[in-house]
Amino acid sequence: MRIILLGAPGAGKGTQAQFISSTFNIPQISTGDMLRAAINEGTPLGMEAKKIMDDGKLVSDEIILELVKERLDRHDCKNGCLFDGFPRTIAQAEALKNDSIKIDHVIDINVNDDEIIKRMSGRRVHLSSGRTYHVLFNPPAQEGLDDVTGEPLVQREDDSEQTVRKRLEVYHCQTAPLIDYYQKWEQSGDPEAPRFSSVNGTGSVEQIKNSILDILRS
């Protein structure tokens, strides 16, 4: 079973990916992890990617796709895999399709922008320990202070509302069009098309998990 998990940053993909991976005994495939592994192992593709990155350029979709194909040939992918952050664009999805890399399920975790902003901009962190809080969902006992040390909590730059809005803009421009792409492909009747499903990402973690697992088991 090969699965693509879609959703905006902050939609809960990482949490649900862990459940899916452990339930079906399939690895998460991250393009970042693949690049680092190929570079560390000194593979030809890794060395090519390293040169491009050292020059301050972006690694091409062609190289990423070759890394994906190499990764799929490994033993731990015999039962399938979960794609983590790939594809990000229509061009990458088309490359998968043109190379006949079969995908079984595409699942979109649907959360509106206002909820995403509320989730992410409300995060607060105790930097030295890594303990995390949320001003609404998991507030500290005393506002702005770590429960254990009493030291100030901070909002990471990545969690500021301005940064979250910029990340959402990039998502809607580059990645959200994949929802329509996979819906239309499934509706075309092509037997090679993956099954597309959308789940409500605003319930409890357990509810969302059960919805996704029900889809994958049906």
Side-chain angles (χ1 to χ4, degrees):
M1 186 188 308
R2 291 177 181 169
I3 305 160
I4 291 171
L5 205 56
L6 298 177
K13 296 189 300 298
T15 299
Q16 298 303 326
Q18 290 176 4
F19 291 135
I20 295 167
S21 183
S22 61
T23 299
F24 296 100
N25 191 29
I26 57 176
Q28 284 179 250
I29 291 184
S30 156
T31 52
D33 288 346
M34 284 188 296
L35 274 170
R36 284 187 288 274
I39 290 169
N40 289 339
E41 292 167 12
T43 69
L45 274 175
M47 291 300 93
E48 187 177 351
K50 184 177 186 302
K51 184 177 185 306
I52 293 167
M53 293 163 70
D54 286 347
D55 289 340
K57 299 175 184 175
L58 291 174
V59 177
S60 69
D61 286 349
E62 289 78 13
I63 291 177
I64 295 294
L65 192 66
E66 288 303 314
L67 286 169
V68 168
K69 288 192 285 189
E70 282 189 357
R71 184 67 181 84
L72 291 176
D73 283 338
R74 296 197 178 187
H75 180 72
D76 63 343
C77 288
K78 62 182 174 60
N79 295 325
C81 65
L82 174 66
F83 286 99
D84 179 3
F86 182 84
R88 288 188 187 274
T89 64
I90 297 290
Q92 290 177 349
E94 283 284 328
L96 281 177
K97 182 179 180 181
N98 293 337
D99 267 43
S100 301
I101 297 174
K102 174 71 173 170
I103 305 296
D104 300 293
H105 292 269
V106 176
I107 297 177
D108 172 49
I109 301 178
N110 184 16
V111 182
N112 68 50
D113 284 5
D114 288 342
E115 176 66 20
I116 294 284
I117 291 165
K118 184 166 70 174
R119 285 183 188 181
M120 297 182 73
S121 64
R123 290 176 183 165
R124 299 293 184 270
V125 181
H126 180 245
L127 289 179
S128 61
S129 70
R131 278 186 291 275
T132 58
Y133 301 84
H134 194 283
V135 295
L136 295 177
F137 309 127
N138 180 35
Q142 188 171 348
E143 183 178 348
L145 300 178
D146 177 51
D147 286 349
V148 178
T149 65
E151 294 171 346
L153 302 174
V154 301
Q155 182 186 53
R156 289 189 178 124
E157 187 178 345
D158 281 355
D159 294 333
S160 72
E161 182 172 338
Q162 183 180 10
T163 301
V164 173
R165 288 189 181 278
K166 286 180 180 176
R167 291 178 66 190
L168 285 170
E169 283 178 19
V170 172
Y171 169 76
H172 287 300
C173 178
Q174 294 186 356
T175 306
L178 289 170
I179 296 169
D180 187 55
Y181 173 86
Y182 282 114
Q183 279 180 317
K184 287 183 175 176
W185 188 9
E186 181 187 42
Q187 292 164 2
S188 74
D190 182 349
E192 295 302 309
R195 180 181 170 195
F196 177 87
S197 303
S198 183
V199 299
N200 183 353
T202 56
S204 70
V205 170
E206 192 72 14
Q207 287 172 329
I208 299 163
K209 179 186 83 168
N210 290 336
S211 295
I212 292 173
L213 295 184
D214 286 347
I215 289 167
L216 295 174
R217 286 170 172 153
S218 64

